[in-house]
Amino acid sequence: MRTPQEGHIDILVNNAGVVPLGGFIEESGATTDLILDVNNKAPFEAR
C-alpha cells in the first residue's frame, strides 16, 4: 500500500457501527431504524 506522499490511496475502509445499550426486547422502533441505517445503509450511501 502506498502512502499519501506516494500518490494515491489503494484502499479505503468505511468502519462505522452502532451498538445500543440495553436489552434487545426494550429496543424501540427508532433504535432499530438507527441500527439498520448506520450498519447496513451507510456504506452504500457514503460519498
Side-chain angles (χ1 to χ4, degrees):
M1 186 166 102
R2 294 181 182 183
T3 63
Q5 293 81 14
E6 295 175 334
H8 65 277
I9 297 173
D10 290 327
I11 188 169
L12 177 65
V13 176
N14 185 353
N15 186 18
V18 175
V19 179
L21 300 176
F24 177 75
I25 301 299
E26 293 86 23
E27 280 184 13
S28 67
T31 302
T32 302
D33 289 340
L34 175 66
I35 293 167
L36 292 175
D37 286 346
V38 172
N39 294 354
N40 296 334
K41 295 179 186 177
F44 297 102
E45 296 178 6
R47 296 173 200 231

